[in-house]
Amino acid sequence: MQKSIAIWLLICCVMVFAMVVVGGVTRLTNSGLSIVEWQPIVGTLPPITQGDWDELLEKYRATPQYQKVNKGMSVDEFKSIFWWEYFHRLLGRLIGLVFFVPFVYFLMKKQIDRPLGIRLAGIFVLGGLQGFMGWYMVKSGLVSDPHVSQYRLTAHLGLAFVIFAAMFWVALGLLSPEKDNPESNEMLQSLRRFSFGLTSLIFIMVLSGGFVAGIRAGLAYNTFPLMNGHLIPPEIFMLEPWYRNFFDNMATVQFDHRLIAWILAFLVPLFWFQSRKVELSDTTRIACNLFLGMLVIQISLGIATLLHVVPIPLAASHQGGAVLLFAAALWVSHRLR
């Protein structure tokens, strides 16, 4: 039964991965503000009749985004942005259902002990908080300035990664409850600390990517490796007070994201080389190799996205790649625990 619970959690992880990708496309297509109400139950039903569409469009016409950005949008044009936001919200509700129903079933079957039950209940609470955070984010754009707050967007993205990490870690624990490495030694402990540090840094990079998306910093400085001919752009501290630059300045936000990628490009191969000096199980060795390979793919996607000025397919792949890189880092850390 432990394996069944783990598979259920991994299915939820796949759904969260899809949620992150769809959320990225929703952001890229400016679809996030197309639904102006939060209706957790009623909002599950899609519009069917022409009257339904006319009513939704009329509500959207009252928003600042329509009046300042999409004025004159037809019903067909509205549908193209509505469906992305609708499926994003529907997927969120579906994840909640797929998590809750088996959770209750396993509880009724007494297959979940108290410590595991507390962890799973905590994950469910985080999922509910994520739904509220999504609406809180949307509300920030339903004002005179029709742009979603980059702070709320980053919090929404970061919470998605926290939920993914919690479910993935619990699932790995159920699939591999015992240590699978030789007797611990100083080198193995050092490698374990290194892996946890890299996992934390990847999470920080995800948050920095949230700010890049939030202020559309990827549409500026579309050159690599320099930023429009500069290693450090001169505009990096143009805002006052100085700390605003880290959240509101396109140059600084993109530079920070690049800098973390450069640091990972140095540290992850170093981690990999160090892992070659330690006696590890075959599965742990595979995890280390996958971690390095996923970093190469993710950095390549990031560079391609930047150079091509953020096309939707590449940008969505880059966002999905962040989840896979994070998962690879979590797997390595779990194997070295």
Side-chain angles (χ1 to χ4, degrees), residues 30-42:
N30 292 316
S31 304
L33 301 178
S34 59
I35 301 179
V36 301
E37 296 174 320
W38 189 33
Q39 299 173 311
I41 305 301
V42 178

Side-chain angles (χ1 to χ4, degrees), residues 96-241:
L97 189 64
V98 171
F99 186 92
F100 180 72
V101 173
F103 181 38
V104 172
Y105 171 80
F106 288 126
L107 282 175
M108 292 178 63
K109 291 291 185 178
K110 302 186 184 302
Q111 299 296 331
I112 297 176
D113 59 24
R114 183 177 177 83
L116 178 59
I118 291 174
R119 290 196 292 271
L120 294 175
I123 293 172
F124 183 72
V125 171
L126 286 177
L129 179 62
Q130 178 71 326
F132 170 77
M133 180 59 71
W135 173 243
Y136 184 61
M137 177 188 68
V138 169
K139 280 186 64 177
S140 68
L142 300 177
V143 293
S144 57
D145 181 18
H147 296 94
V148 168
S149 163
Q150 66 268 34
Y151 300 97
R152 299 186 191 184
L153 183 147
T154 302
H156 188 50
L157 177 65
L159 187 53
F161 274 74
V162 169
I163 293 170
F164 177 91
M167 293 191 299
F168 192 58
W169 192 267
V170 172
L172 291 176
L174 293 172
L175 292 173
S176 180
E178 303 296 333
K179 288 187 176 181
D180 193 37
N181 292 303
E183 193 66 29
S184 180
N185 54 52
E186 182 56 37
M187 290 187 65
L188 187 59
Q189 292 176 11
S190 176
L191 196 65
R192 180 169 59 245
R193 290 192 293 268
F194 199 171
S195 71
F196 276 100
L198 289 173
T199 304
S200 300
L201 186 58
I202 290 169
F203 181 70
I204 293 172
M205 186 174 71
V206 167
L207 297 181
S208 74
F211 283 103
V212 170
I215 64 172
R216 304 193 182 281
L219 300 177
Y221 305 97
N222 300 103
T223 59
F224 186 85
L226 300 178
M227 297 178 67
N228 290 357
H230 299 279
L231 182 62
I232 301 176
E235 307 88 358
I236 199 167
F237 281 114
M238 65 182 293
L239 300 182
E240 293 291 344

Side-chain angles (χ1 to χ4, degrees), residues 242-254:
W242 63 270
Y243 55 81
R244 280 190 56 213
N245 291 282
F246 294 98
F247 312 107
D248 300 323
N249 186 336
M250 283 189 175
T252 315
V253 168
Q254 191 187 126

Side-chain angles (χ1 to χ4, degrees), residues 15-29 31 83-92 316 319-320:
M15 296 180 72
V16 171
F17 167 80
M19 184 77 167
V20 170
V21 174
V22 172
V25 176
T26 300
R27 173 63 179 169
L28 291 163
T29 55
S31 304
W83 283 122
W84 278 114
E85 176 64 6
Y86 172 78
F87 282 123
H88 184 57
R89 296 191 186 194
L90 184 64
L91 187 54
Q319 186 150 324

Side-chain angles (χ1 to χ4, degrees), residues 69-86:
V69 180
N70 292 325
K71 196 170 185 64
M73 174 177 275
S74 67
V75 173
D76 288 338
E77 291 171 329
F78 173 70
K79 289 179 181 180
S80 69
I81 64 171
F82 171 88
W83 283 122
W84 278 114
E85 176 64 6
Y86 172 78

